[in-house]
Amino acid sequence: MSLLNDAQQNAVAELLRVSPVADELGRRFGAAGHELHLVGGSVRDALLGRLGDDLDFCTDARPEQTLTLVHGWADAIWETGREFGTIGIQKNGLRIEITTFRAESYDGVTRNPVVSYGTSLLDDLSRRDFTINAMAVSLPGHEFTDPFGGVQDLAAKVIRTPATPQASFGDDPLRMLRAARFAAKLQFTVDESVISAMRDMAADLDRITAERIRDEFTKLICSADPLAGLRLLVDTGLADRFLPELSGLKLEIDEHAQHKDVYEHTLIVVTNAMRLEGDDSPDFVLRMAALMHDVGKPATKAVGRDSRVSFHHHEVVGARLTKQRMKAMKYPKDVTSDVVGLVALHLRFYGYGRGEWTDSAVRRYVTDAGPLLSRLHKLTRSDVTTRNRRKASALAADYDALEDRIARIEAEEDLAKVRPDLDGNAIMELLGVPPGPIVGQAWRYLKELRLDRGPLDHDEAETELLKWAREQGHIS
């Protein structure tokens, strides 16, 4: 155990000052003969000056005893984590989790932890993932406990494990992914002994459910410095266990058939996309699309007779691979659909600067992108990583021109709601047909005509529909 210096004492005092609920809760547990300690990320974030509204506590009280102590005091209670020893409550706008001292581990076979309760704070802290998360403040006495040098590691910005990395990752292999995530979130370095164990034990990640991996990876992608975490995943082989397409971007480059480094290019695109997010919260869909936009290149790489390298239709292959991977990682269908859509569309812009696009092409670009248009703008701009300033400026100017053109056409037409100039009822009345396939075919024909030529007046739309119907043999 170690004592805090004055600055650290002040940090803890500030934590308790802004969260008076902590002392009040500590007194309730103490009066009942139980311990209560603020732990983990709450202590770490307080020392870093990043304390939020979520507080984590541990206690020797069992879940049923915790429920008794908070009943009538908490503003709300939830028991979704009760089987793992955790009771959640809300008090004065704070979200609080209280967990019984734990001694959980994996049995080396199943994908879920074997939960058993611990008997002391020291045992509980020794089972935590990293030293910077293995500190505690006891309540209501405010005693600080740091048995594994978390304060020193926090100051040094290094990620280490309380026990040996092998023992820690053996308890929960997901911690290897968490090491990469904390490196990305906190912009800390990972101790070499931890990195070595991650390489040696990467295959153990296969014992973790896809959902847990997905959630941890999503946090990594949405962190302050995802590139640090992504590089760590690739360098340790962890990416090969759940996202092999990322490592696969490291294509071999020979002196006779050179092309840009696809892996490094991809990481730059992710960085560029982050810069275009603005002040909003991290955009997982945009970042994931940036990460996956070129995963179709390895499968489509070809070298021509002139030694030029091509990746024809890599956006199509990439969209298919992205869909397969995100499905395997159990991402929601709507999130997967958005990412896949961006990957499929990320090359559509090229060719615009050569003057090949008609208004019809612009309408189709906007219609195909739909609600993804704003993200597609950002992804397309992010994909320009050339060091040739003249080329980069020309591409940026071309895209500026396209956005201006979209704005002009949108001012004349509602591109977000492109629909045929005749609805289903008008089609049936004009053609004298009942509801059925012919109506759908006619509707799609009129929509294509609308995209090609812009809005038609009513009489023109009817003339075109009748002409089409005769050609198709639907009317004489």
Side-chain angles (χ1 to χ4, degrees):
M1 301 204 177
S2 62
L3 295 176
L4 294 171
N5 59 31
D6 290 343
Q8 293 157 350
Q9 289 278 14
N10 290 338
V12 174
E14 175 65 9
L15 165 68
L16 298 176
R17 182 187 68 78
V18 300
S19 303
V21 168
D23 270 347
E24 187 178 346
L25 190 61
R27 286 191 290 270
R28 293 182 71 88
F29 274 74
H34 293 295
E35 301 175 31
L36 187 71
H37 312 275
L38 191 70
V39 290
S42 295
V43 177
R44 179 200 70 224
D45 289 346
L47 294 172
L48 291 173
R50 303 176 181 178
L51 181 65
D53 294 331
D54 295 334
L55 301 179
D56 294 323
F57 295 88
C58 69
T59 179
D60 60 337
R62 298 299 175 90
E64 59 274 14
Q65 295 171 316
T66 295
L67 281 170
T68 299
L69 288 170
V70 299
H71 183 72
W73 177 79
D75 298 330
I77 299 174
W78 57 93
E79 303 181 42
T80 52
R82 182 172 181 172
E83 64 176 310
F84 299 107
T86 299
I87 299 298
I89 66 173
Q90 183 169 328
K91 180 70 175 181
N92 294 350
L94 297 173
R95 287 176 60 88
I96 295 170
E97 288 192 346
I98 306 171
T99 303
T100 303
F101 290 151
R102 60 189 181 183
E104 65 182 35
S105 63
Y106 282 73
D107 61 12
V109 178
T110 64
R111 292 187 167 195
N112 294 310
V114 177
V115 179
S116 59
Y117 297 134
T119 58
S120 71
L121 173 63
L122 188 60
D123 286 344
D124 180 273
L125 296 180
S126 70
R127 304 307 294 266
R128 292 183 176 265
D129 52 7
F130 306 112
T131 59
I132 58 174
N133 296 331
M135 299 177 283
V137 177
S138 302
L139 300 166
H142 301 182
E143 179 184 2
F144 186 82
T145 303
D146 179 20
F148 304 106
V151 168
Q152 289 75 18
D153 288 344
L154 203 62
K157 297 185 177 181
V158 64
I159 295 172
R160 291 190 305 111
T161 54
T164 65
Q166 291 78 10
S168 181
F169 298 155
D171 276 352
D172 185 353
L174 187 68
R175 289 173 175 174
M176 294 185 286
L177 188 50
R178 284 172 62 83
R181 196 251 291 183
F182 276 114
K185 175 184 178 180
L186 301 175
Q187 297 176 288
F188 283 14
T189 58
V190 180
D191 187 80
E192 280 299 325
S193 66
V194 176
I195 293 176
S196 179
M198 291 165 69
R199 289 195 184 100
D200 293 342
M201 302 177 68
D204 286 14
L205 194 64
D206 296 348
R207 294 193 279 114
I208 304 300
T209 62
E211 291 86 351
R212 293 186 71 211
I213 291 174
R214 174 202 65 206
D215 292 346
E216 201 64 46
F217 179 72
T218 300
K219 293 176 183 177
L220 187 158
I221 286 291
C222 293
S223 63
D225 183 20
L227 269 61
L230 293 170
R231 289 188 186 278
L232 196 55
L233 294 180
V234 172
D235 294 345
T236 58
L238 283 169
D240 293 336
R241 315 312 306 186
F242 69 96
L243 191 63
E245 293 82 4
L246 179 57
S247 304
L249 292 174
K250 286 194 167 187
L251 299 180
E252 182 178 351
I253 302 176
D254 64 60
E255 59 181 340
H256 301 296
Q258 291 198 8
H259 56 82
K260 69 173 63 177
D261 186 323
V262 181
Y263 175 69
E264 292 298 332
H265 162 75
T266 294
L267 297 183
I268 294 172
V269 174
V270 173
T271 301
N272 291 345
M274 290 169 58
R275 293 195 186 104
L276 294 179
E277 286 175 336
D279 297 328
D280 297 333
S281 57
D283 186 342
F284 170 77
V285 168
L286 177 61
R287 294 188 184 193
M288 189 66 174
L291 185 68
M292 303 296 285
H293 80 285
D294 274 350
V295 295
K297 282 190 170 181
T300 58
K301 180 182 176 182
V303 181
R305 293 180 179 178
D306 58 357
S307 295
R308 293 175 65 88
V309 177
S310 65
F311 304 97
H312 294 307
H313 305 301
H314 76 266
E315 75 281 11
V316 177
V317 175
R320 174 173 54 80
L321 293 174
T322 299
K323 183 176 182 179
Q324 292 173 350
R325 182 55 52 197
M326 293 187 71
K327 181 178 180 181
M329 293 177 70
K330 304 295 181 67
Y331 277 101
K333 290 182 178 179
D334 59 336
V335 174
T336 298
S337 178
D338 285 350
V339 175
V340 170
L342 288 171
V343 172
L345 290 169
H346 84 274
L347 283 184
R348 181 74 70 86
F349 158 71
Y350 293 93
Y352 177 82
R354 295 193 294 270
E356 299 170 0
W357 282 37
T358 61
D359 282 357
S360 171
V362 175
R363 291 188 194 96
R364 291 179 185 279
Y365 187 76
V366 174
T367 300
D368 290 348
L372 296 174
L373 183 62
S374 176
R375 285 179 170 131
L376 182 57
H377 288 333
K378 295 174 183 177
L379 178 60
T380 303
R381 291 184 180 276
S382 299
D383 198 20
V384 179
T385 63
T386 178
R387 295 180 181 179
N388 185 319
R389 292 186 178 181
R390 181 176 297 178
K391 183 178 180 181
S393 295
L395 287 169
D398 286 345
Y399 209 83
D400 287 342
L402 175 59
E403 289 201 56
D404 289 343
R405 193 169 173 188
I406 290 172
R408 176 181 61 78
I409 296 176
E410 281 185 325
E412 301 168 357
E413 312 168 24
D414 189 355
L415 292 182
K417 298 178 181 178
V418 173
R419 299 180 64 80
D421 296 286
L422 301 176
D423 62 19
N425 290 327
I427 291 170
M428 288 187 288
E429 181 178 352
L430 183 63
L431 300 184
V433 297
I438 293 176
V439 179
Q441 294 169 18
W443 191 93
R444 287 188 290 273
Y445 170 75
L446 288 174
K447 181 175 181 180
E448 289 297 312
L449 198 65
R450 169 73 169 74
L451 289 170
D452 283 338
R453 292 166 48 178
L456 307 178
D457 62 40
H458 188 80
D459 290 344
E460 189 177 7
E462 286 190 343
T463 298
E464 292 293 344
L465 178 59
L466 290 171
K467 179 181 176 183
W468 170 85
R470 292 190 187 96
E471 292 173 350
Q472 298 297 314
H474 298 315
I475 62 175
S476 56

